[in-house]
């Protein structure tokens, strides 16, 4: 190339670079909503986690309650942590697999300085614990609260809400979404998805009045394509949005897909009132379509949570792949149906100190708890819990390790502050 050609090619390269930069900027402008992109009356803007800090209050309260050696048949540990504030100010806490029985002072049988439980300590598939208005855990309801639907099947409670017994009525009840699972082998060691159900609990005595099936998945041949709804809910003026997901198997894909349904306020227990998003519109008899997930970097864990902040929906989930053993990621959207933007790192989930080698423990199931936000609700503050467990492909081995150290199988809490992304 001559000196003249080289001199001429310089400006051309600069113009090409400028054109590429403008093209990228145009893509970003399309991806980000402008000030006129609104959800209801509130501006929808990108949201991110500005700060995070351990919420020692609720973490310590569950440790205090679980370590009370005077109780012999109450909650001492569980996962699948969900909560709902009741009309009288109490908070109902719901758990999936739960240890009951009694705990013992350290050292444990292995000589370690941990509070521990007997290896034959009973475990039930679900439980509920009542917290007072002041934040003190008071009692465990008779467990399991939700009976097994059939042999080799069980129910895990997920999101719960207080709503009118009938649309527009004055009487209030608690609706609890349930995941019905069935025992299986191979990759489905935590159960094959069967159906989503809704339980109705009376107020104020929290008696289970009935359970209704709202989404039966048994006709879906591939268990990996079955959707269980209720991991989290979100509200607008007219609808309750119920999010759900599939079960990803790590051998085939590191992340699951998220789905969403909607129900008119007061109708969670009415299966005929449920509408599902099919990618273009809502309908009852439609094929649901995922709103988030590519099976690789983008997607959700088997349990995730959604909150609303200044008109923007923010989703928290464990990150895809091995990063998700401790890292919580976030997405944001102007609508429950997406598009969802992300993932972005939200925070590192701290594991119990000196409890086990770091590579043998993991965090999972981040869940928001508006009942704990108190006066901070609405100012970008979010209180999340996450569960901690021992990593092992054999459930019996994991269970043996969490009996040696009861702090491994209890919720831990973190306080986040959300802010506009810059």
């Amino acid at each position: 190339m001559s000196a003249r050609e080289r001199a001429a090619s310089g400006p051309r390269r600069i113009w090409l670079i400028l054109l590429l930069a403008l093209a990228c900027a145009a893509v970003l402008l399309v991806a980000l909503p402008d000030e006129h992109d609104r959800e209801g009356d509130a501006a929808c803007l990108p949201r991110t986690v500005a700060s995070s800090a351990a919420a020692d209050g609720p973490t310590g309260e569950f440790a205090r309650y679980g370590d009370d050696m005077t109780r012999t048949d109450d909650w001492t540990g569980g996962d699948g942590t969900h909560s709902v504030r009741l009309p009288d100010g109490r908070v109902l806490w719901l758990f999936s697999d739960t240890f009951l029985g009694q705990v013992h002072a350290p050292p444990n049988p292995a000589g370690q300085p941990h509070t521990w439980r007997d290896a034959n300590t009973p475990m039930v598939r679900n439980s509920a614990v009542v917290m007072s208005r002041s934040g003190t855990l008071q009692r465990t309801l008779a467990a399991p609260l939700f009976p097994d639907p059939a042999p080799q099947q069980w129910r895990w409670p997920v999101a719960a809400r207080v709503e009118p017994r009938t649309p527009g009525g004055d009487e209030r009840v608690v609706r609890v979404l349930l995941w019905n699972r069935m025992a299986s082998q191979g990759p489905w060691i935590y159960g094959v998805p069967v159906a989503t159900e809704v339980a109705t609990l009376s107020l104020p005595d929290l008696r289970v009045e009935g359970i209704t099936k709202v989404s039966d998945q048994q006709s879906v041949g591939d268990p990996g394509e079955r959707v269980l709804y209720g991991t989290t809910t979100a509200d607008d003026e007219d609808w309750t949005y119920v999010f759900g997901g599939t079960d990803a198997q790590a051998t085939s894909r590191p992340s699951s897909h998220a789905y969403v349904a909607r129900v008119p306020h007061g109708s969670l227990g009415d299966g005929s009132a449920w509408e599902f998003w099919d990618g273009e519109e809502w309908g009852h008899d439609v094929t649901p379509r995922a709103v988030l997930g590519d099976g690789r970097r983008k997607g959700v864990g088997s349990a995730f949570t959604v909150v609303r902040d200044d008109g923007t929906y923010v989703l928290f989930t464990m990150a895809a792949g091995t990063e998700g053993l401790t890292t919580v990621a976030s997405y944001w959207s102007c609508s429950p149906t997406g598009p969802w933007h992300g993932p972005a790192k939200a925070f590192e989930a701290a594991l119990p100190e000196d409890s086990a080698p770091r590579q043998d423990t993991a965090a999972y199931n981040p869940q928001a708890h508006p009942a704990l936000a108190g006066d901070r609700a609405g100012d970008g503050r979010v209180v999340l819990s996450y569960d901690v467990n021992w990593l092992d492909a054999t459930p019996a081995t994991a269970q043996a390790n969490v009996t040696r150290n009861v702090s491994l199988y209890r919720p831990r809490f973190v306080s986040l502050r959300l802010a506009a992304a810059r």
Side-chain angles (χ1 to χ4, degrees):
M1 180 182 292
S2 68
R4 179 177 295 179
E5 290 171 329
R6 286 196 299 272
S9 67
R12 284 200 297 270
R13 280 200 296 267
I14 293 173
W15 276 109
L16 286 173
I17 292 171
L18 287 173
L19 287 172
L20 286 172
L22 289 171
C24 291
V27 171
L28 288 173
L29 287 173
V30 170
L32 298 177
D34 62 24
E35 62 181 357
H36 301 295
D37 188 356
R38 295 178 177 271
E39 176 69 23
D41 294 329
C44 173
L45 296 171
R47 307 300 283 175
T48 188
V49 175
S51 65
S52 64
D56 295 331
T59 300
E61 178 58 17
F62 275 98
R64 179 203 66 80
Y65 185 78
D67 285 347
D68 184 349
M69 299 173 194
T70 65
R71 297 181 295 106
T72 60
D73 196 29
D74 283 7
W75 183 99
T76 65
D79 70 353
T81 310
H82 290 79
S83 68
V84 59
R85 183 169 290 281
L86 305 178
D88 59 10
R90 295 176 299 162
V91 178
L92 178 66
W93 292 89
L94 297 160
F95 294 91
S96 297
D97 290 349
T98 300
F99 284 108
L100 302 177
Q102 192 172 29
V103 299
H104 308 288
N108 66 15
Q112 299 167 323
H114 305 312
T115 304
W116 57 285
R117 60 174 67 89
D118 294 320
N120 60 354
T121 295
M123 172 180 269
V124 293
R125 286 301 191 178
N126 59 75
S127 69
V129 182
V130 179
M131 175 181 277
S132 71
R133 295 178 60 183
S134 63
T136 301
L137 294 169
Q138 295 179 312
R139 66 188 179 100
T140 302
L141 301 182
L145 182 61
F146 308 104
D148 294 345
Q152 300 299 305
Q153 292 187 27
W154 60 88
R155 291 177 167 121
W156 282 344
V158 279
R161 305 182 57 79
V162 174
E163 66 172 22
R165 180 180 292 278
T166 57
D170 294 330
E171 184 185 3
R172 300 268 171 176
V173 294
V174 181
R175 309 281 193 200
V176 180
L177 288 134
L178 304 172
W179 287 351
N180 181 342
R181 289 181 176 268
M182 178 174 58
S184 184
Q185 302 295 320
W188 306 102
I189 58 176
Y190 298 110
V192 170
V194 175
T196 301
E197 301 172 320
V198 176
T200 298
L201 277 61
S202 60
L203 285 169
D205 57 340
L206 301 173
R207 178 177 55 84
V208 179
E209 295 183 344
I211 297 175
T212 302
K213 186 178 295 185
V214 295
S215 175
D216 193 336
Q217 295 291 291
Q218 294 183 85
S219 62
V220 180
D222 180 1
E225 299 300 323
R226 296 181 179 184
V227 182
L228 294 181
Y229 289 91
T231 181
T232 187
T233 63
D235 263 350
D236 69 9
E237 293 181 357
D238 301 312
W239 301 92
T240 295
Y241 295 98
V242 186
F243 292 85
T246 54
D247 279 357
Q249 300 303 310
T251 55
S252 59
R253 58 185 188 273
S255 62
S256 298
H257 291 77
Y259 293 75
V260 66
R262 69 178 187 180
V263 189
H265 293 323
S267 299
L268 272 177
D270 179 4
S272 65
W274 281 57
E275 296 181 355
F276 304 90
W277 180 251
D278 71 356
E280 296 182 357
E281 60 184 2
W282 298 96
H284 181 72
D285 296 315
V286 300
T287 300
R289 183 174 176 179
V291 297
L292 173 61
D294 60 9
R296 297 181 296 278
R297 179 172 173 266
K298 288 181 176 287
V300 295
S302 58
F304 57 93
T305 196
V306 174
V307 299
R308 291 191 71 185
D309 185 55
D310 285 345
T312 302
Y313 294 85
V314 184
L315 183 152
F316 296 96
T317 182
M318 303 310 297
T322 56
E323 185 183 5
L325 298 178
T326 57
T327 301
V328 177
S330 66
Y331 295 82
W332 67 269
S333 174
C334 294
S335 166
T337 60
W340 289 93
H341 306 277
K345 181 178 177 179
F347 66 94
E348 287 288 322
L351 300 175
E353 295 181 2
D354 301 325
S355 60
R358 189 174 181 86
Q359 66 270 18
D360 289 332
T361 54
Y364 59 106
N365 185 36
Q367 289 296 325
H369 299 282
L372 298 184
D375 295 336
R376 297 173 299 175
D379 68 350
R381 297 284 179 175
V382 178
V383 177
L384 288 182
S385 70
Y386 57 91
D387 299 323
V388 177
N389 208 336
W390 186 277
L391 280 177
D392 200 288
T394 305
T397 302
Q399 181 170 330
N401 280 287
V402 299
T403 60
R404 296 177 189 141
N405 181 0
V406 298
S407 70
L408 283 174
Y409 199 60
R410 289 174 179 168
R412 299 172 70 82
F413 294 81
V414 61
S415 178
L416 308 179
R417 185 174 67 83
L418 303 181
R422 299 183 184 277

